[in-house]
Every structure is written in C-alpha cells, then in structure tokens.
Amino acid sequence: MPEIKWKIKDIREQVATIDGKSAPCMVLKNARYLHSMFKQWMTGNIWIVKDRIVYVGEEMPANIEGSQILDMAGKTIVPGYIEPHVHPYQLYNPSSFAEYAAQRGTTTFLSDNMTLVLLTNNKKAFSLIDQLNSLPFSFYWWARFDSQTEIEQEGDFFSNESVLEWLDRQDVLLGGELTGWPRLLRGDDQMLYWIQSAKHKGKKIEGHFPGASERTLVKMRLLGADGDHEAMTADEVVRRVQHGIKVTLRHSSIRPDLPDLLKGILEKKLNIFDHLMMTTDGATPAFYQDGVMDKCIQVALDAGVNPIDAYQMASYNIARYYNMASLHGMVATGRYATLNILKDEFSPQPESVLSKGVWLKKDGEQVYDFHAIDWSGLGEFDLRFELREDDFQFSMPIGMELVNDVITKPFSAKIPAHKRELPVGKEESYLMLVDRNGKWRVNTMIKGFDTHVKGFASSYSNTGDIILIGKSIRDMKHAFQELKNMRGGIVLVEDGEVAASLPLPIAGGMYDGKVEHLIEKELALKEALRERGYHHTDAIYTLLFLQSTHLPYIRLTPRGIFDVMKNNVMLPSVMR
C-alpha cells in the first residue's frame, strides 16, 4: 500500500485537535457528503489539519482559534477523483496534465512508467518522481515488464534489477500493463517471476487483453492478472467478472466505449457496480476538453447509473482495489483532505477542488499554479546527424496498410526504383523510422494514412525515434530539418513551407506548457492532416502505435518490419 507520509509529530498534532488542545486549519460545516462505505449521502462537519481529514461527523471542534470555517450548506462533497490508468505522456507531460485534470476534480493518477524507463535510468526517474511528489497532487505508478515493441537489448531497459527497483517503491501500486502477455503463454518465466514478485509485495497486475477468449482470460488469471481495462462489450465485461478479473471500463479518444458498456450492464441488470472502475486510458489532449474523470462520471449519470455508483467507480472502488482506501477515495477520518465541492450530485465537474489541503480551485476559478518541473533528467532531443540521399530508398516489397487508427496489415508495395515523388490523391506514401541517434533506419510504404501529405516528421512515437511520412522526398527532408531545428515535435511540410507544427521540447515527446494551449495546437495539426486525407479518428494514436507489437498485424519497429502474429522480423532495419 502507499507510504504513510505523516510523522509522529504530525499525528500527535492531529489527535490534539480532537481533544481541543489545538485548532483545525479548516472546518467545512453543514457538508452534505458521500460516505463511501455506507453508500449514502450524509450531513456533517469536516475538520482538516493541513493535508489530512481528522474528523467527519456531527460535532464542531472545541477549539476553532485561527480556523477557517466554511459553510457548505447547499453544496455536495465527494472524494477527489482517481484516474487508475494514466499514460501521462500523450503530448502533455505528467505535471501539466495533472494540473489540468485537478481543475476538473481528478487529483490522483496511477501512471505508466514506460517513458521514464526508455529515456533515463532509475536514479533520474525517481528524482523526477520526487519532484512530482512535491506538488499538491497524488502520483502513483505502474512498473512495466516489456517495451511494447521490438527493440534491441530490451533487457538493458527491463533488467531484473531495474524492474525490481520499481516494484520496491511504495508508490508503485501495480505491475503491467501486460501488453507482452503472449510471451507469458510462450513460457517467459522472467516475466512470470516479476508478476509473482509484484504480488508478493501486495501489488496488483493489470492485463491488456482486447478480444481475449475465455481460455486466454483463464490462463492469464492463473498467471497472475488481477484486472483488465480492454473489455469492449458488456459480454466481455461479464466474461472477465465471471473469472474474478476486476474490470476498468474505458472511455478514451480511440475507444469511447463507456456509454455502450454501461447500457449493456444496465440492460443485463448486473449487480456489479461495486466492482467496476473507469478510465480514460491516456486519451489525446483534445478529448479532455470537457473533462477527465468527471467526464466519465457524467457519461455514467447520463446512462442512468445511480449517482453514488457513478462516483464510486471514479474514487472509492479504485482506492479499495489498490489498497489505498486508508488515504484516498473517501470523505472520512484519516484520509487526505482531497475533496471536490459540487453544485449537486448530477454536476460532477467541481466548483471548488481541495487537494491534500490545498485549494486548487475555488468558486470556479483556478487559484493555484503548479510549480515548474525540471525535465532535464530525461535528456534533450538533439539530432546530431543529417539524412542523406541514400537514406531515402523505398524499394521494399512489403508495405503497411492502415486499416483504422492503429491496426496495420501488410500490402504489396510496387514503387518504381529511384522515384522521388508520389502522386497526390493516392493512398500510398513513403514511410521511414529513423533512430534518434542516427544509427539505423527502416524504409517502407504506408497505405491509408493520407492522400495529400507531402512531408511529415514526428519525434513523438512509442520509442522516441523519428517517423517520416510523405509523398515528396524533398518535403520529407525539409520536415526532418524543421524537426531538428525545433528540437522535437511534429511538423507538416508542403512545397517547402511549414503547414502545421507542434513543438514537443521535453525529450522530443512532450509539450512544455498548459494543456489548454496544447489542445489548440493539437486540433490545428489534426485539422491540417484531415484536409490532406487522414480520415481515421486520432492521428496522434496512429503515430504512437505504428511501433506497438501488442497490436496486429505488422509493426514498424527498431528491429525492422515485424510480423506480430508470427513473432518474427519480416524485413530488418538497415544500419546507416
């Protein structure tokens, strides 16, 4: 479970408040609040000392000298919302996304550690986490067991020593997600050992089982999986619950499944809401324009879910599952003073937000700005090489066809040798993956990404390597140069001019600024791509998942074009 931060002196001070020997910092009186264990709305007074609730009940403190007394009559108070499955690097960074989410009532993250593992060593990663922990927000983490793609020397990143160091941390609450679960079924005992180690330390194991058969789910449960967030239908929810797998219902930019899932659960009259959670699963920035976990709660309310169940799926159920209900997910004695003040239970976006005793939002206005985080530990994105003419060779017989946002299948690529430009209006484009250090490249074709993109470059990718797409080699080279000058980002070039760009100066993958500004830039970039023939849902996820081997059927990886189903390299990368 999470580490208890209060020292003996702090706890004695808190107890002294109950005896009237000292005064609370704040009292929220006449508070109508959600009691998560009774599953009832109750009325009482909430005493707070610094960052902790020290009493919730009918009494007022005997000593209120210097206390801030706030009358909550007419308001409704619920616990701060918890996002249990965060990928905090989807163009935004962990700090900027936390600040944005907190204004909408989401005050606790369980975050993916993938980018930290791939970009830096554990010492620097833990130093960054220490900085994040200095914010009035609650950060917890997962420990990944695989890279989600095919990279050389993966064991250097996911060594036994490194993974166990992550699992030893008290703010790491789970192992996974298990995107590499096929390796388990093929007999990977190293991964099974990490799963067992995590469970021995009291941590959960999160699966990643889209479309899994009952047989696969049973095997993964036996191998140690506790939960999964990939159910896409109500029947898939039932199948998981039947075998004791906790289900997190997803509502993300490429899988906005929550309305249909809830409709199916209600139609089947399944009495399982005490065992369900919700997540936005690392959606891209624009998806969050109308909320984060408050958005999920609103979807649940609109679907006809009982309000208490709707709030518990975004707070108490998560806290209880991850063994942190002694600190989070309840308006009760001993918990963090992390509360959302609502107009009423049908309005989940809060009017005011208190996080660890700090007001982040009051009466609809942001009143606290997160201090800056030093991201230099992730390293700078500095391309110290040039692309040569001989790098642009596209005589590969196999290309990648984009079936939807993220699924790619092979197609026969027939491109005349030495051709420098492809006709606009067609679905075929050049595609390259280039090592960020300039050591290797993979050249192929992509079909179905666009019809009119001439030059496109992105340092935002699964591994942080550079993706180049286009119909004009000249414009692709120009886009690469612009990317180099920007020191990371996404660039669209047409006829020698920049048509759209999005700077990502933090390690080449994250925006350094407010999410509100990032959303504007993301929408402009996506509109420019739509105007040039990108017709799927989310181009940012397409870039991220081109390399991801947890999805069928072929992937563009540092090792080359990889056949996921056969687990082998179809065409190897080329050393430069």
Side-chain angles (χ1 to χ4, degrees), residues 150 396-400 408-412 442-444 553-557 559-573:
E150 290 292 316
M396 299 291 187
I398 299 171
M400 301 173 65
T408 50
K409 67 179 183 180
F411 81 99
S412 179
V442 183
N443 297 47
T444 185
Y553 292 91
I554 64 170
R555 297 284 134 182
L556 188 70
T557 77
R559 290 182 58 200
I561 300 176
F562 190 81
D563 187 322
V564 175
M565 311 309 286
K566 295 181 179 179
N567 192 37
N568 63 25
V569 176
M570 301 170 69
L571 292 169
S573 55

Side-chain angles (χ1 to χ4, degrees), residues 173-213:
L173 303 185
L174 66 152
E177 58 186 300
L178 296 180
T179 50
W181 62 267
R183 286 162 49 175
L184 278 173
L185 297 185
R186 292 194 295 265
D188 187 334
D189 284 343
Q190 176 67 83
M191 188 177 289
L192 184 55
Y193 172 72
W194 290 335
I195 290 173
Q196 290 179 318
S197 296
K199 295 179 81 68
H200 289 160
K201 297 173 188 295
K203 303 175 193 296
K204 302 296 185 182
I205 298 297
E206 178 69 8
H208 183 98
F209 312 136
S213 67

Side-chain angles (χ1 to χ4, degrees), residues 131-315:
Q131 288 188 64
L132 292 169
N133 287 341
S134 69
L135 299 171
F137 193 91
S138 296
F139 286 95
Y140 299 101
W141 299 87
W142 335 334
R144 285 272 192 171
F145 299 154
D146 69 277
S147 67
Q148 201 172 281
T149 188
E150 290 292 316
I151 57 176
E152 298 292 347
Q153 286 84 47
E154 183 178 78
D156 292 345
F157 296 97
F158 296 91
S159 67
N160 190 57
E161 179 183 9
S162 174
V163 170
L164 292 180
E165 282 182 353
W166 279 94
L167 291 176
D168 279 340
R169 290 184 62 93
Q170 288 184 291
D171 54 2
V172 171
L173 303 185
L174 66 152
E177 58 186 300
L178 296 180
T179 50
W181 62 267
R183 286 162 49 175
L184 278 173
L185 297 185
R186 292 194 295 265
D188 187 334
D189 284 343
Q190 176 67 83
M191 188 177 289
L192 184 55
Y193 172 72
W194 290 335
I195 290 173
Q196 290 179 318
S197 296
K199 295 179 81 68
H200 289 160
K201 297 173 188 295
K203 303 175 193 296
K204 302 296 185 182
I205 298 297
E206 178 69 8
H208 183 98
F209 312 136
S213 67
E214 182 178 36
R215 181 182 294 270
T216 295
L217 291 173
V218 168
K219 289 180 180 179
M220 296 314 300
R221 183 70 189 96
L222 293 172
L223 288 163
D226 296 297
D228 181 63
H229 58 283
E230 292 287 335
M232 293 178 279
T233 66
D235 287 339
E236 291 186 351
V237 171
V238 170
R239 192 178 302 150
R240 285 156 172 76
V241 172
Q242 180 180 349
H243 295 289
I245 296 173
K246 287 297 181 82
V247 177
T248 304
L249 306 177
R250 179 172 51 189
H251 193 56
S252 75
S253 48
I254 58 170
R255 293 295 325 183
D257 296 326
L258 188 57
D260 288 340
L261 291 173
L262 292 172
K263 179 182 177 182
I265 291 167
L266 290 169
E267 287 177 348
K268 291 176 180 290
K269 298 182 180 179
L270 300 175
N271 187 23
I272 59 173
F273 283 106
D274 283 350
H275 307 283
L276 298 178
M277 298 167 278
M278 298 187 288
T279 180
T280 60
D281 195 8
T284 48
F287 183 78
Y288 294 115
Q289 290 180 96
D290 53 352
V292 186
M293 291 307 293
D294 57 313
K295 179 174 182 169
C296 291
I297 295 168
Q298 189 64 61
V299 170
L301 293 172
D302 293 343
V305 175
N306 178 283
I308 290 177
D309 285 327
Y311 285 98
Q312 304 254 104
M313 286 192 289
S315 57

Side-chain angles (χ1 to χ4, degrees), residues 10 30 48 96 115 131 168 204 265 274 438 444 464 481 529:
D10 299 322
N30 301 319
I48 295 169
S96 67
T115 294
Q131 288 188 64
D168 279 340
K204 302 296 185 182
I265 291 167
D274 283 350
T444 185
Q481 191 60 46
L529 288 173

